[in-house]
Amino acid sequence: MALEQLSDVVQRCQALPDDSYSSEDHDVFTIAGRSCIEEGHAPQVLSIVLDEKNQNVVGSMGWSLLPPLVQVLLRKDDKHLPQCLAIFNHLLEACRPKELLIGLLELLEHDDADRIAESLHLLLTPLQKVLLRLGGRKASSLGMTLSSVLDQLAKLPVPDTKEQEEDDVFSLGRCCADLARFVGPFAEEARLNQSSGNQPRKSHKTAGGQEEGAEDELRTELLKFCMKTLSQPLLDVQIWHPDTLPVSPLRTFAAEILDILGAVGESLSGLVFHPLLKKKEVPGFLEEEVRYPKNSLACLAHLVFVHHLAADTFPSVFSPIFCLRSNMEHISILLSRTETSRLQKGLELYEKSLVRVEDGSLPADLLEIRTFLTVPQSLVKVMTICPKHDLRTKGLKVFQLSIDKFNTEAKYRFFQYMLRTSNHSGVEGYIIKNIKNQIDAALQPGNGNIWFEGLHLLPLLRKVFSLPDGPETDLLQYLDSRVMESLNLLRYLVIRDKVTENQTGIWTELYKIEDKFLKPLRVGVNMSRAHYERELQDTREKKKKNAKEESVLSVSVGGEKLPKMTSESQIQALHSALHTFDMIESVLVRIEELVEVKDGLETAGEPQLLRA
């Protein structure tokens, strides 16, 4: 029945002029033709399609047969697969390319990862053939195709491990390889246009101007494709080093994207250093933010500086500090995100940018640049709240590396800024430890400097020797970091700096430290100890009352409930807290003893500087 209907409508349309077929003719051809293929009459359909008398009809309406043909080609197990393939290939040559393009792009749309991968593998080559048939009018159609393909590619999972990429478990590697082959001829055409001297210019209403406009449009679409690809999937995937994964389709794909950027006339160094270099305006090309998305440029910088892709095309004349300044914009973008892949790339790019810089060479005026302050704040978030331990550890390593690169004044100002803004006791404790190391270096013979001795040092010490909330400060929260590091620094200064020399100014500042830090700290320790001793006593009494049951208790400290646990665990936690207060008190007592001894030995007859 369907075969007869198809034959009838084709015969009827043979006598009609081109493009004069009715909508009814189109509907009958579509329904009957698809039914024939689905019912196994592909050999007969092939005969009709190949008949010379039917070429006008096939050229006008044949594209509507694509859906059942593609279904057979995807299944690969149909007995009429060769005939369906022959029909499919003939339609690619006989039908109008615009209609073929729309039909093929509709068939790309899937949600299942396996279907997406198989469809891309099957249809990218036919799409390439169709686009090439468009000649100089293909740029906008190419852009639409690339956008659709990348939307599908974005639905594929990204491999998390080297083994997953090796096995290509999500088919992302194969799809990227297929995409690179698809875009190859168009990139080569753009490269030839560049090499022939046809630089992009504003179009004119002449034949030559029209051709120049087409070249501009091709460049535009390829550049948009590269930028979108850098943003996804390349910003999300992990690129493995060749020593770890010798054959990597994703690394190869990334290198090919960088090559296409060169083909369309983009300088990789110009793109990487875009934040610092003012790009020349190209009339009628693209708006700046659309042309060079920040996420894409950040990914590009990571590929160039971390993986050294396209290193042979990248000039080596830029100083390490210039590279760092430019990359800080990219690093800021990456570290401001929460995705693991972005954070890892940000840390890697920051580390690679820093290692090339000489220790102690970054001047203090760099801290007037916004990113040199926002990036450390982002690092703090990575170090403190990132769920992945390896990223937290890496963040701390890079944080210290960044400190090492500052000169003495820059370190001083950076420490001031971090103590003022970090709002995290662990980070503040780490900064205080660094301050101690800088003071120790300054006190070595021949190493003196104005920033970690004398008058400049005192404002920094005043920030260190303070309690955020006075005696009510939560000492458990601040113990392991801020309070203990502050006490360790004070003990060091009392031991290291002689009263008669007073290089750090600690001996003239000690009475202020006593009033604003040590006294409130003693009160806080006593208050906290009394509170926890009372909680310990209450918990022991509850344990006795509920000795026959394995009770689960909830203890409140400072108005907040601790996590529920057994009474024995609660008792252990409270003992640990009390031990903490003993530690603080022992250091306080030791500092008092040291002050009394040095005061007695070196300033005999003078009033005590530290009051008991």
Side-chain angles (χ1 to χ4, degrees):
M1 180 67 177
L3 187 58
E4 292 176 3
Q5 290 178 329
L6 180 63
S7 299
D8 289 344
V9 72
V10 170
Q11 287 180 0
R12 185 171 64 253
C13 290
Q14 283 177 357
L16 300 176
D18 292 353
D19 296 329
S20 62
Y21 313 125
S22 67
S23 59
E24 182 181 353
D25 293 332
H26 279 275
D27 292 341
V28 173
F29 181 91
T30 299
I31 296 171
R34 291 182 179 183
S35 297
C36 287
I37 295 170
E38 291 167 354
E39 294 170 4
H41 301 303
Q44 291 85 343
V45 175
L46 178 61
S47 298
I48 294 172
V49 167
L50 293 179
D51 192 324
E52 190 64 32
K53 299 190 297 293
N54 300 333
Q55 293 313 296
N56 288 340
V57 179
V58 172
S60 178
M61 297 187 282
W63 68 275
S64 63
L65 302 180
L66 288 174
L69 291 171
V70 169
Q71 292 302 316
V72 172
L73 298 178
L74 286 173
R75 286 200 306 267
K76 302 177 184 177
D77 58 355
D78 194 288
K79 64 179 181 179
H80 296 307
L81 178 63
Q83 290 84 358
C84 288
L85 182 60
I87 298 170
F88 182 74
N89 287 333
H90 183 72
L91 295 180
L92 293 179
E93 301 294 336
C95 296
R96 289 191 284 262
K98 284 286 187 181
E99 293 168 341
L100 282 171
L101 183 68
I102 294 171
L104 290 171
L105 289 180
E106 288 178 351
L107 295 171
L108 276 180
E109 294 292 329
H110 296 287
D111 292 319
D112 178 71
D114 291 335
R115 294 279 290 176
I116 291 170
E118 290 300 323
S119 296
L120 287 173
H121 186 63
L122 173 66
L123 297 178
L124 278 177
T125 298
L127 280 166
Q128 184 190 73
K129 292 179 180 178
V130 170
L131 287 166
L132 289 172
R133 286 180 57 196
L134 289 171
R137 300 174 289 111
K138 62 179 169 292
S140 60
S141 297
L142 174 62
M144 179 174 64
T145 302
L146 290 171
S147 179
S148 297
V149 171
L150 289 177
D151 287 344
Q152 290 300 109
L153 205 65
K155 298 177 184 179
L156 294 179
V158 172
D160 292 323
T161 64
K162 176 177 71 72
E163 290 73 23
Q164 285 182 340
E165 184 179 348
E166 276 183 315
D167 299 335
D168 200 18
V169 293
F170 306 122
S171 299
L172 182 62
R174 184 178 73 164
C175 289
C176 287
D178 291 339
L179 180 54
R181 283 190 292 271
F182 166 81
V183 81
F186 311 109
E188 188 58 31
E189 180 180 341
R191 193 191 310 274
L192 291 174
N193 291 337
Q194 287 293 121
S195 63
S196 64
N198 289 329
Q199 299 297 327
R201 293 186 293 272
K202 188 174 182 179
S203 300
H204 301 286
K205 295 180 179 179
T206 64
Q210 190 174 5
E211 182 63 27
E212 290 168 9
E215 292 172 8
D216 283 351
E217 194 176 359
L218 179 61
R219 288 184 62 250
T220 300
E221 298 301 339
L222 288 173
L223 178 58
K224 285 196 291 187
F225 161 71
C226 289
M227 290 294 134
K228 190 172 181 180
T229 304
L230 286 167
S231 180
Q232 192 176 40
L234 290 178
L235 192 54
D236 295 321
V237 303
Q238 181 171 358
I239 304 295
W240 297 96
H241 191 275
D243 292 343
T244 304
L245 188 63
V247 179
S248 169
L250 296 177
R251 187 175 63 244
T252 301
F253 180 63
E256 288 168 337
I257 293 300
L258 268 57
D259 184 63
I260 294 172
L261 286 172
V264 300
E266 291 289 344
S267 160
L268 292 186
S269 59
L271 291 173
V272 169
F273 299 137
H274 184 266
L276 296 184
L277 301 176
K278 185 177 180 181
K279 297 285 288 186
K280 66 176 182 179
E281 293 297 322
V282 182
F285 191 62
L286 279 175
E287 293 298 326
E288 187 78 0
E289 286 300 315
V290 177
R291 194 187 337 170
Y292 305 114
K294 293 180 179 179
N295 282 335
S296 303
L297 296 183
C299 180
L300 176 63
H302 181 266
L303 292 173
V304 170
F305 281 93
V306 177
H307 296 288
H308 308 295
L309 296 186
D312 55 334
T313 67
F314 201 86
S316 56
V317 297
F318 302 103
S319 72
I321 294 181
F322 178 84
C323 293
L324 174 65
R325 279 193 59 189
S326 180
N327 282 341
M328 288 297 279
E329 292 286 345
H330 307 310
I331 295 161
S332 179
I333 293 293
L334 295 170
L335 292 182
S336 66
R337 304 297 295 267
T338 57
E339 300 93 331
T340 298
S341 61
R342 314 289 172 96
L343 294 177
Q344 181 168 333
K345 284 179 170 57
L347 292 174
E348 290 172 347
L349 180 57
Y350 198 14
E351 182 180 36
K352 287 292 185 181
S353 302
L354 287 169
V355 294
R356 299 176 64 241
V357 176
E358 184 180 352
D359 284 356
S361 65
L362 296 182
D365 57 9
L366 287 179
L367 294 175
E368 298 174 8
I369 300 173
R370 177 186 57 85
T371 51
F372 277 85
L373 298 178
T374 58
V375 166
Q377 291 295 350
S378 296
L379 267 181
V380 167
K381 294 180 181 178
V382 175
M383 293 187 295
T384 56
I385 64 177
C386 179
K388 294 199 68 173
H389 178 266
D390 58 332
L391 289 185
R392 295 198 304 272
T393 303
K394 179 86 166 181
L396 181 59
K397 176 185 175 184
V398 175
F399 185 69
Q400 183 61 56
L401 183 62
S402 69
I403 292 174
D404 295 340
K405 301 303 175 180
F406 286 123
N407 67 17
T408 306
E409 181 186 356
K411 285 186 176 77
Y412 176 88
R413 301 198 182 282
F414 182 73
F415 295 156
Q416 280 188 317
Y417 173 77
M418 293 305 297
L419 287 175
R420 187 174 67 251
T421 62
S422 68
N423 297 318
H424 188 279
S425 61
V427 175
E428 292 168 3
Y430 194 79
I431 292 296
I432 293 169
K433 184 183 293 186
N434 269 273
I435 292 173
K436 174 177 172 292
N437 293 337
Q438 292 303 311
I439 295 173
D440 183 63
L443 294 179
Q444 301 301 320
N447 287 351
N449 64 73
I450 63 172
W451 298 104
F452 291 95
E453 293 180 278
L455 294 178
H456 276 113
L457 179 59
L458 293 180
L460 194 58
L461 292 181
R462 288 169 191 148
K463 288 182 181 295
V464 171
F465 299 126
S466 64
L467 290 176
D469 302 310
E472 286 77 31
T473 299
D474 187 342
L475 297 180
L476 287 184
Q477 177 186 349
Y478 282 85
L479 165 73
D480 292 334
S481 45
R482 171 116 197 186
V483 169
M484 287 306 295
E485 290 299 340
S486 298
L487 289 174
N488 286 335
L489 174 58
L490 181 56
R491 178 172 55 183
Y492 165 81
L493 292 173
V494 169
I495 294 173
R496 181 68 176 79
D497 198 5
K498 297 180 180 179
V499 177
T500 52
E501 296 180 1
N502 197 24
Q503 290 176 270
T504 63
I506 189 64
W507 294 103
T508 52
E509 190 74 10
L510 206 50
Y511 73 96
K512 293 181 181 178
I513 295 173
E514 165 68 11
D515 287 338
K516 295 183 178 180
F517 180 61
L518 297 178
K519 268 188 178 179
L521 183 58
R522 288 194 201 94
V523 173
V525 168
N526 292 333
M527 290 171 56
S528 297
R529 179 185 284 110
H531 177 76
Y532 276 81
E533 285 175 344
R534 186 171 61 253
E535 288 288 348
L536 180 60
Q537 183 179 355
D538 292 345
T539 304
R540 283 171 171 166
E541 290 177 359
K542 289 179 182 178
K543 181 184 178 184
K544 290 178 181 178
K545 291 180 181 179
N546 300 296
K548 296 181 180 180
E549 303 176 10
E550 179 56 30
S551 60
V552 177
L553 303 178
S554 178
V555 173
S556 295
V557 176
E560 295 186 6
K561 286 188 175 182
L562 295 177
K564 288 186 177 181
M565 57 182 73
T566 63
S567 57
E568 191 60 40
S569 298
Q570 287 282 10
I571 290 172
Q572 290 178 3
L574 293 168
H575 272 300
S576 177
L578 291 170
H579 177 67
T580 290
F581 304 134
D582 290 340
M583 287 174 57
I584 296 177
E585 192 166 38
S586 67
V587 179
L588 278 170
V589 170
R590 178 58 178 156
I591 290 172
E592 292 176 4
E593 292 172 349
L594 289 169
V595 170
E596 289 175 1
V597 169
K598 296 199 76 170
D599 197 34
L601 289 176
E602 303 186 36
T603 58
E606 293 184 9
Q608 292 290 327
L609 293 174
L610 187 65
R611 297 186 295 276

